[in-house]
Amino acid sequence: SMKEAGFPLGVLLLLVVAYITDYSIILLIKGGNLSSTKTYQELVKKTYGLVGYLILSILQFLYPFIAMISYNIITGDTLTKVFQRIPGVGLDNVLTDRHFIILVTTIIFTLPISLYRDIAKLGKVSLLSLILTIVILIIVMVRTVTFSPQVPKSENAWIFAKSNAVQAIGVMSFAFICHHNSFLIYGSLEEPTLKNWSQVTHMSVALALVISVVFAACGYMTFTGYTEGDIFENYCRDDNLATFGRFCYGVTVILTFPLECFVTREVIANVFFHGNLSTVFHVVVTVVIVAVATGISLMYDCLGIVLELNGVLSATPLVFIIPSACYLKLSKERWNHSDNLISCLILVLGVVVMAVGFVMTVLHPQECSHGKEMFYCSPSNVSLHNSTLPP
């Protein structure tokens, strides 16, 4: 997103998206309390009827489903490079085949964890995922200091703004969104009150913002215009510290995958089974969702475009548009009340980002250099590239 928006503007946009995320998550629960509903779908159905309910259900299914696809792509990208560092494992070894890795991790890890019925049981899994994220962040920070001098800076690397800023907002929305499982998590609190929810939200979004800003700054400062959608694609294959980071990254997304599966399964249960799945249907629906997501990720491997499209088409309406629209219809406050005015502003911004972002993504898709060793990993290429750069 820094590469697409320009670094200074990108940081400002991160702050804006974090604020909107925080505000709209709380707005969502306020709307639930005003309408006496306990799920995102019930809230929209009560507010905008069957049509609104179906639109939300499609979006609420698509976002986590496409996220599951992106997690599989990351798993295939990262773990294959980890296994290449094992002595005796060559490029012709099955452990370096992304299709094999995706299938094995799905069968052994993500599918069994996704079969849990209670999201609260994933608490320890989420904690481990968070700890690994901090480890990855430290690795990226260390490599900013030690590896950055080896990577030449791209042209106009520090320009304030670039033309693809709207797509960057989509990617940021993808990074911050948790609206689709907010009611699930709100219901899992020991005391589900608006005050407790606000505290949890503020702390979570603030931590996510700090991690995102540090990730973005360190990643972009190291690779500037050469930054890939998956930052670990930028590090050289023989970098052992980056290899450990890839391993942690792969484990993190494997552990995050089941959370998204919970949401997709809940949407299907609510739309087709009145909210209740028998044990048999629970297993069947879970297996079908995971199998289809895995199948798509085996066929397509360009992460950047997946993130952009999911951001503008699914995340943006779920973050910006729907919570604001629901609250505006349910609110009994005067039109000039601060909550109403901010909700209107977020709603309009969401519509603009969604429309413009989709057009820009289609017209100017990201280049994808999946699986290629970057030119600066070869010392001769770096010196040649430096000699051709303008002074």
Side-chain angles (χ1 to χ4, degrees):
S1 59
M2 298 300 107
K3 174 187 170 184
E4 296 291 305
F7 183 69
L9 179 61
V11 173
L12 292 175
L13 289 176
L14 261 180
L15 296 172
V16 171
V17 172
Y19 173 78
I20 291 173
T21 302
D22 182 274
Y23 190 86
S24 60
I25 291 169
I26 296 170
L27 208 62
L28 203 58
I29 300 302
K30 281 184 180 178
N33 291 343
L34 286 171
S35 59
S36 301
T37 53
K38 294 184 178 180
T39 69
Y40 203 166
Q41 289 153 304
E42 283 179 18
L43 168 63
V44 174
K45 190 173 185 179
K46 194 161 185 177
T47 313
Y48 288 101
L50 183 61
V51 173
Y53 171 76
L54 292 175
I55 291 172
L56 174 77
S57 296
I58 292 168
L59 290 172
Q60 209 175 5
F61 176 87
L62 277 179
Y63 169 77
F65 181 74
I66 298 174
M68 289 162 65
I69 295 169
S70 69
Y71 293 155
N72 273 341
I73 292 172
I74 291 169
T75 302
D77 284 350
T78 55
L79 294 186
T80 50
K81 289 189 175 180
V82 170
F83 291 129
Q84 283 176 27
R85 298 297 294 156
I86 299 174
V89 176
L91 293 176
D92 57 343
N93 192 291
V94 71
L95 291 175
T96 64
D97 183 348
R98 65 180 297 274
H99 301 92
F100 176 77
I101 295 299
I102 291 171
L103 281 172
V104 169
T105 54
T106 299
I107 294 167
I108 296 177
F109 298 109
T110 53
L111 179 58
I113 299 173
S114 298
L115 286 168
Y116 276 116
R117 295 186 78 107
D118 183 7
I119 198 168
K121 289 183 178 179
L122 296 182
K124 291 180 181 178
V125 170
S126 296
L127 178 62
L128 177 58
S129 180
L130 180 61
I131 292 169
L132 289 175
T133 300
I134 303 299
V135 172
I136 296 163
L137 180 59
I138 292 169
I139 290 170
V140 172
M141 291 168 67
V142 169
R143 276 292 173 257
T144 302
V145 177
T146 59
F147 187 55
S148 181
Q150 185 178 324
V151 183
K153 305 309 172 198
S154 60
E155 191 176 354
N156 296 324
W158 307 108
I159 193 170
F160 180 81
K162 294 182 183 177
S163 59
N164 292 345
V166 176
Q167 290 115 292
I169 296 175
V171 176
M172 292 170 191
S173 300
F174 177 92
F176 277 98
I177 186 175
C178 55
H179 300 59
H180 55 298
N181 54 21
S182 290
F183 279 97
L184 281 170
I185 297 167
Y186 177 70
S188 73
L189 295 178
E190 286 186 9
E191 292 183 44
T193 63
L194 192 60
K195 181 182 177 182
N196 287 346
W197 179 247
S198 296
Q199 289 176 344
V200 169
T201 301
H202 293 330
M203 288 172 62
S204 300
V205 174
L207 180 60
L209 174 62
V210 170
I211 291 172
S212 297
V213 168
V214 176
F215 256 127
C218 291
Y220 187 78
M221 285 164 62
T222 306
F223 303 112
T224 59
Y226 306 112
T227 308
E228 291 291 316
D230 176 356
I231 195 171
F232 279 104
E233 287 286 283
N234 280 101
Y235 295 103
C236 303
R237 287 177 185 169
D238 60 358
D239 186 333
N240 289 328
L241 184 61
T243 298
F244 179 64
R246 290 185 183 105
F247 173 75
C248 294
Y249 192 27
V251 173
T252 299
V253 296
I254 287 170
L255 296 178
T256 309
F257 185 102
L259 285 170
E260 308 299 354
C261 188
F262 262 79
V263 180
T264 57
R265 187 174 60 225
E266 188 200 29
V267 171
I268 290 174
N270 289 337
V271 173
F272 297 105
F273 299 95
H274 307 290
N276 293 310
L277 287 173
S278 66
T279 302
V280 173
F281 276 109
H282 171 85
V283 172
V284 169
V285 169
T286 304
V287 170
V288 169
I289 291 169
V290 172
V292 174
T294 302
I296 295 172
S297 61
L298 291 172
M299 293 185 290
Y300 193 75
D301 63 4
C302 196
L303 182 64
I305 297 171
V306 173
L307 295 179
E308 285 187 4
L309 284 175
N310 203 17
V312 296
L313 293 180
S314 303
T316 302
L318 287 170
V319 173
F320 291 71
I321 299 172
I322 297 175
S324 305
C326 288
Y327 182 79
L328 286 169
K329 190 160 184 181
L330 292 166
S331 175
K332 294 179 174 59
E333 303 287 351
R334 288 172 56 85
W335 69 269
N336 59 351
H337 188 274
S338 60
D339 277 347
N340 289 342
L341 292 175
I342 295 173
S343 297
C344 270
L345 187 62
I346 293 173
L347 178 62
V348 172
L349 182 61
V351 172
V352 172
V353 169
M354 186 177 178
V356 176
F358 176 70
V359 172
M360 292 290 286
T361 301
V362 172
L363 294 179
H364 305 286
Q366 279 194 36
E367 293 181 5
C368 190
S369 61
H370 165 78
K372 296 179 182 176
E373 185 82 318
M374 302 302 285
F375 70 89
Y376 47 74
C377 291
S378 168
S380 59
N381 283 347
V382 174
S383 58
L384 178 63
H385 187 84
N386 282 334
S387 67
T388 60
L389 284 175

